[in-house]
Amino acid sequence: MAGILAWFWNERFWLPHNVTWADLKSTEEATFPQAEDLYLAFPLAFCIFMIRLLFERFIAKPCALGLKVQANGPQKAQPNAILEKVFTAITKHPDEKRLEGLSKQLDWDVRSIQRWFRQRRNQEKPSTLTKFCESMWRFTFYLYIFTYGVRFLKKTPWLWNTRQCWNGYPNQPLMPDVHYYYIIELSFYWSLMFSQFIDIKRKDFGIMFTHHVVTVILITFSYITNLTRVGTLTLCLHDAADIVLEAAKMANYCKCQKLSDLLFLTFAIVFIVSRLGIYPLWILNTTLFELYEALGNFPAWWVLNMLLAVLQVLHCFWSYLIIKAAYKAISKGKVAKDDRSDIESSSDEEETGPRSKTPHSTITTNGTGGANGTNGYLTGGTCSEEH
């Protein structure tokens, strides 16, 4: 095992030339980042998750109810053993041939069976209240951690001159603010990594999971190699847009449509400017060119920039979705339904009973739900971003 660890932590891979792990050992005069510090992130991730549960139960939920957020989940499908067996054991999206077979077997028309499956799928979706509580928790955390980051970064020289990220490396002692900021951010992303499997399921689950994995690797890698200065800039930059996104979601769930529209527009501007403008011109510029000029070429330089490039690809993808939603909003005069929405809308959901194929029972009831209902998510949520 010692041999494997020595091979993995090869200095010539992770560190610039003429720099060794001995240079990053803490002394009585200065403290440097140590790999053991990151073990603290695991119990803290559990603590953050427990704080979230308490926050959603005792703070977010009362706020939601006070704002008249809908507490009931989607309308439940009426019990039917045959359809339930097909739903659980065969398919949740029956094709036309299966619908015709079920129609003959139950003496229901195809439209009623389609409605039952739609309601049954929606039955597994979270209520608006649940989504509001999740968004309020993320809004609160992002607001806190972004404010904390800005508060200490405005006093640092590398915020105003990114070349200061590399000057004096590796003799850059670890500041207490940077240590706290790193450990809290890493703990939060570890909590997201695990809670994502029980949180509200979204269509971009795989992309968000990839984002979380890349973020955790970047935080860990930059901390151990003492590249924390550029790491703090990257983290703070990514938190900015997430605050506005979660605020827009909450306004949407409260049915404050004008406020939601305004916040969505603000989010779109902040996201695109920060992720497609500031990020490549500020972060990628310093890691690709200024780092190379200051410390030269070494293998981990390629790893760092490849991971940062993966984030940029995700930024481009999410920006496309945001622009697409904004275009729909402008053309239709209202906020478009999010492409990642996990709630299916239908104009038929208010009708609960089946319609028999026999003539004496063909009266229908038209609902008023639309595809632009308030259950959808605004496009581009990271992270989110969550980033």
Side-chain angles (χ1 to χ4, degrees), residues 26-60:
S26 296
T27 64
E28 293 182 357
E29 293 78 19
T31 301
F32 293 94
Q34 304 298 309
E36 308 86 66
D37 299 344
L38 300 181
Y39 295 151
L40 183 60
F42 294 104
L44 277 180
F46 177 75
C47 291
I48 287 176
F49 180 71
M50 297 307 296
I51 292 171
R52 170 191 169 176
L53 295 181
L54 294 174
F55 178 90
E56 291 184 357
R57 175 66 180 85
F58 296 105
I59 298 178

Side-chain angles (χ1 to χ4, degrees), residues 45-213:
F46 177 75
C47 291
I48 287 176
F49 180 71
M50 297 307 296
I51 292 171
R52 170 191 169 176
L53 295 181
L54 294 174
F55 178 90
E56 291 184 357
R57 175 66 180 85
F58 296 105
I59 298 178
K61 186 175 181 179
C63 289
L65 295 176
L67 293 170
K68 310 298 182 184
V69 174
Q70 181 183 351
N72 297 328
Q75 190 174 15
K76 292 185 177 182
Q78 71 174 70
N80 187 290
I82 296 176
L83 295 180
E84 183 68 26
K85 183 177 181 181
V86 173
F87 182 88
T88 56
I90 302 177
T91 178
K92 296 181 180 180
H93 299 271
D95 55 23
E96 185 177 348
K97 182 178 180 180
R98 192 175 298 279
L99 287 172
E100 290 290 346
L102 291 171
S103 174
K104 295 176 181 178
Q105 185 177 359
L106 297 173
D107 194 30
W108 291 13
D109 63 13
V110 172
R111 187 176 178 81
S112 294
I113 297 175
Q114 289 175 325
R115 184 176 306 111
W116 188 95
F117 274 93
R118 181 166 51 248
Q119 291 175 348
R120 183 63 182 83
R121 289 192 297 269
N122 287 344
Q123 192 174 312
E124 298 183 342
K125 308 296 183 179
S127 66
T128 305
L129 176 64
T130 301
K131 294 188 290 184
F132 179 93
C133 292
E134 180 183 296
S135 289
M136 187 172 178
W137 158 250
R138 295 192 181 198
F139 169 81
T140 304
F141 178 84
Y142 288 134
L143 180 62
Y144 164 73
I145 202 66
F146 177 74
T147 304
Y148 183 89
V150 170
R151 184 187 65 82
F152 86 82
L153 278 174
K154 67 181 182 181
K155 304 174 185 177
T156 63
W158 61 86
L159 175 65
W160 315 105
N161 179 9
T162 52
R163 290 187 181 274
Q164 291 294 325
C165 291
W166 323 114
N167 286 352
Y169 183 88
N171 298 314
Q172 298 175 344
L174 180 65
M175 298 168 54
D177 281 333
V178 174
H179 176 259
Y180 174 81
Y181 190 55
Y182 251 76
I183 295 300
I184 293 299
E185 286 275 21
L186 181 60
S187 301
F188 178 71
Y189 277 101
W190 271 120
S191 72
L192 286 183
M193 285 271 287
F194 296 110
S195 67
Q196 188 169 346
F197 293 96
I198 60 174
D199 280 345
I200 297 167
K201 293 295 185 296
R202 298 182 173 89
K203 294 180 180 179
D204 66 343
F205 173 87
I207 296 175
M208 286 303 299
F209 187 75
T210 301
H211 173 272
H212 296 339
V213 170

